[in-house]
């Protein structure tokens, strides 16, 4: 990963020389490792709610809709909308400073989630986590994209994507264990602490070598948007990514409750199996989308769309059949496979985004893409899944039994309610996964335009 880029690989989309920074191989590797740790910390802080969500629901008496709001609206509203102004600042300012402050803020707010005593308090704390994380993703990717040439950015994005499975394993299993033995509040406190150390490490060991500039020298948001939207291939890629992320956020929010409710598992057992289902397969998906796609696009740029397009069509049946299983082992096996398929979109979409724009536009372009993800995916994915789950739950109850009667019910009624709740979340997730077919169609449609839109990359050589 540390071989120098060839001159032909150092062209910006405009044809001007790129601002790829000359750094020592060791410094480049350390930057990638530390940024992977930071993005992993972000995902741990983001995913801890999914892990201990069932415990919070039981303790605070929440509905699935409220649980979906905590995982969706509370986090993504400011996470998405603040991303663009912070990215604009990152185009002309020290990105390491921005990243360090952001890590410290979201880690502190995660710890404060453990002090919440009501739904409203927890909602406010989750908004704070979203504010902090708004300043990390785009500056991180913009910083690393200046260290690596265009034909290796997909691999770098794929490596950063490993933060998802690592966060699931470390934060998911560890957070569930802490929640089961010490309570869900302690889990938030424990998960929030590592980010404070990472903030200090980033600030003291990394340098942003890109020259600072004034705002007037940075292309405007309109210019960035026009560059992206002018690409028909990008429009199809981002549409597919929005749909994929919409489904993915729903699965992340309710995958753990699915295992707990459907197979009568403890919180720790549910987190363990959910982590096993996601970690290895999702890691494979990010590497397929990053490392493998980078190798294939050297032959034909249309592989940016071909690979995720075909894999989305394969993901749908595995997920749907898996969520409809009533036996534990068939469900676990079926759901362990399609993460390789569904996670393959991430690196190609962001690699196409980065390769369409110049260095002073990348943080803004990435933030726009992430805003599109979050406005639809994080904002509505968990909420829609939660609402569907509540609808299916009520439909599964006997005619004379209302949902409100399940609270403090007799053992017999409690069993009926538990079965209805398990079927509700299973049917909701299966319904959401039908949309993978729609996403796959968009990725495949992008291949009609990507060679033309990325023609400046045809000079890239091995």
């Amino acid at each position: 990963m540390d071989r120098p880029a060839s001159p032909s690989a150092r062209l910006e989309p405009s044809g001007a020389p790129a601002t790829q920074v000359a750094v020592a191989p060791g410094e480049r590797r350390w930057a990638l490792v530390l940024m992977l740790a930071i993005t992993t910390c972000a995902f741990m802080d983001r995913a801890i709610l999914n892990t201990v969500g069932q415990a919070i629901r039981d303790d605070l008496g929440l509905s699935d809709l409220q649980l979906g709001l905590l995982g969706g609206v509370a986090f993504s509203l400011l996470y998405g909308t603040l991303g663009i102004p912070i990215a604009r600042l990152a185009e002309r300012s020290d990105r390491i400073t921005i990243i360090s402050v952001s890590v410290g803020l979201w880690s502190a707010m995660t710890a404060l989630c453990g002090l919440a005593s009501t739904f409203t308090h927890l909602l406010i704390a989750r908004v704070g986590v979203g504010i902090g994380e708004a300043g990390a993703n785009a500056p991180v990717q913009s910083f690393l994209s200046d260290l690596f040439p265009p034909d290796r950015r997909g691999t770098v994005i794929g490596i950063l994507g490993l933060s998802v499975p690592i966060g699931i394993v470390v934060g998911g299993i560890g957070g569930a264990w802490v929640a089961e033995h010490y309570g869900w509040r302690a889990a938030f406190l424990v998960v929030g602490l590592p980010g404070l150390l990472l903030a200090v490490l980033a600030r003291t060991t990394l340098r942003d070598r890109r020259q600072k500039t004034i705002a007037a020298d940075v292309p405007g948001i309109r210019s960035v948007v026009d560059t992206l939207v002018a690409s028909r291939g990008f429009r199809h890629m981002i549409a597919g990514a929005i749909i994929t992320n919409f489904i993915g956020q729903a699965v992340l929010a309710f995958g753990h409750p699915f295992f707990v409710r459907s197979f009568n598992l403890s919180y720790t057992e549910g987190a363990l199996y959910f982590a096993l289902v996601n970690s290895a397969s999702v890691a494979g998906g990010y590497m397929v989308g990053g490392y493998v796609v980078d190798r294939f696009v050297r032959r034909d740029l249309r592989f940016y769309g071909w690979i995720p397009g075909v894999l989305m069509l394969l993901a749908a049946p595995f997920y749907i059949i898996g969520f409809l299983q009533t036996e534990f082992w068939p469900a676990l096996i079926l759901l362990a496979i399609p993460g390789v398929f569904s996670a393959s979109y991430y690196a190609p979409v962001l690699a196409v985004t980065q390769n369409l724009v110049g260095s002073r536009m990348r943080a803004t372009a990435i933030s726009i893409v992430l805003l599109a993800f979050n406005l639809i995916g994080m904002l509505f994915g968990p909420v829609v899944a939660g609402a569907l789950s509540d609808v299916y739950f009520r439909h599964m109850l006997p005619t004379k039994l209302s949902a409100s009667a399940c609270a403090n019910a007799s053992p017999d009624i409690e069993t009926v309610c538990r079965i209805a709740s398990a079927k509700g979340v299973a049917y909701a997730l299966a319904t959401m996964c039908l949309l993978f077919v729609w996403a796959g169609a968009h990725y495949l449609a992008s291949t009609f335009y990507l060679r033309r839109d990325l023609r400046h990359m045809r000079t890239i050589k091995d």
Side-chain angles (χ1 to χ4, degrees):
M1 177 169 285
D2 294 304
R3 72 183 192 278
S6 64
S8 61
R10 296 180 181 177
L11 295 179
E12 295 286 12
S14 63
T19 56
Q20 185 186 331
V21 179
V23 296
E27 183 178 349
R28 183 186 295 175
R29 285 194 295 267
W30 170 243
L32 182 57
V33 168
L34 187 53
M35 291 304 165
L36 173 60
I38 286 173
T39 52
T40 298
C41 179
F43 194 83
M44 287 170 56
D45 291 357
R46 190 185 311 175
I48 186 64
L49 181 68
N50 302 331
T51 300
V52 301
Q54 189 67 35
I56 295 173
R57 182 179 184 267
D58 295 341
D59 185 26
L60 301 183
L62 306 182
S63 68
D64 278 344
L65 179 58
Q66 287 176 309
L67 197 60
L69 287 170
L70 289 173
V73 175
F75 175 84
S76 64
L77 196 59
L78 289 175
Y79 173 74
T81 55
L82 288 179
I84 291 180
I86 294 175
R88 299 300 296 163
L89 180 64
E91 303 288 24
R92 63 180 186 274
S93 303
D94 191 298
R95 291 168 289 189
I96 298 303
T97 298
I98 294 172
I99 293 166
S100 301
V101 172
S102 299
V103 175
L105 176 59
W106 88 57
S107 299
M109 294 305 296
T110 297
L112 287 176
C113 288
L115 304 179
S117 58
T118 67
F119 169 74
T120 301
H121 294 161
L122 191 55
L123 187 72
I124 293 171
R126 292 298 294 174
V127 169
V129 175
I131 293 173
E133 291 200 23
N137 210 328
V140 164
Q141 294 200 32
S142 173
F143 174 70
L144 289 177
S145 71
D146 281 354
L147 304 182
F148 295 90
D151 60 334
R152 293 160 68 191
R153 288 173 187 155
T155 301
V156 171
I157 295 168
I159 291 173
L160 285 180
L162 295 177
S163 61
V164 176
I166 296 173
I168 289 173
V169 172
V170 178
I173 298 176
W177 185 89
V178 172
E180 186 159 344
H181 290 83
Y182 301 100
W184 62 267
R185 301 178 192 281
F188 276 108
L189 294 172
V190 171
V191 170
L193 294 178
L196 300 177
L197 174 61
L198 292 175
V200 174
L201 282 175
R203 190 69 188 90
T204 56
T205 65
L206 293 179
R207 285 180 55 198
D208 189 351
R209 299 176 183 273
R210 187 185 66 181
Q211 292 183 346
K212 296 181 182 179
T213 187
I214 60 176
D217 295 331
V218 177
I221 295 178
R222 180 64 180 272
S223 177
V224 178
V225 172
D226 287 347
T227 301
L228 293 175
V229 174
S231 166
R232 295 185 68 179
F234 170 81
R235 296 203 298 268
H236 279 292
M237 292 288 283
I238 191 64
I242 289 171
I243 298 166
T244 306
N245 196 55
F246 175 77
I247 306 165
Q249 293 301 323
V251 172
L252 283 175
F254 288 98
H256 179 257
F258 164 77
F259 278 104
V260 172
R261 298 181 201 178
S262 298
F263 308 111
N264 199 26
L265 303 177
S266 67
Y267 298 141
T268 302
E269 289 173 330
L272 173 62
Y273 289 120
F274 183 56
L276 290 175
V277 163
N278 280 274
S279 58
S281 61
V282 169
Y286 280 117
M287 293 314 296
V288 167
Y291 183 83
V292 175
V293 169
D294 267 355
R295 270 54 192 169
F296 276 93
V297 296
R298 292 172 180 171
R299 304 176 186 177
D300 194 320
L301 292 170
R302 290 175 292 183
F303 277 105
Y304 276 131
W306 278 335
I307 290 179
V310 171
L311 294 183
M312 292 305 132
L313 299 180
L314 293 175
F318 278 96
Y319 273 123
I320 293 170
I321 297 172
F323 283 125
L324 295 180
Q325 294 299 305
T326 57
E327 297 294 329
F328 173 72
W329 286 109
L332 186 69
I333 293 170
L334 284 167
L335 293 175
I337 297 172
V340 175
F341 309 146
S342 63
S344 65
Y345 81 99
Y346 187 75
V349 171
L350 288 176
V352 168
T353 302
Q354 291 185 10
N355 291 332
L356 280 171
V357 299
S359 176
R360 296 284 180 183
M361 303 168 77
R362 286 193 188 115
T364 303
I366 293 166
S367 69
I368 291 171
V369 169
L370 295 178
L371 176 61
F373 283 6
N374 297 325
L375 282 180
I376 306 298
M378 286 187 183
L379 190 60
F380 294 114
V383 175
V384 171
L388 280 173
S389 180
D390 285 344
V391 170
Y392 284 127
F393 166 62
R394 289 192 293 268
H395 181 73
M396 294 296 165
L397 290 173
T399 305
K400 296 182 180 180
L401 183 63
S402 65
S404 59
C406 290
N408 301 316
S410 65
D412 290 341
I413 298 298
E414 183 180 354
T415 300
V416 173
C417 293
R418 181 180 59 81
I419 294 173
S421 177
K423 289 184 177 179
V425 73
Y427 290 169
L429 291 173
T431 301
M432 299 287 284
C433 290
L434 288 169
L435 298 177
F436 275 120
V437 176
W438 186 15
H442 276 293
Y443 295 126
L444 293 175
S446 73
T447 62
F448 291 101
Y449 313 103
L450 285 174
R451 282 203 296 187
R452 181 196 65 193
D453 296 343
L454 296 173
R455 56 185 175 273
H456 59 276
M457 287 185 62
R458 291 177 182 170
T459 57
I460 293 176
K461 302 183 185 300
D462 292 337

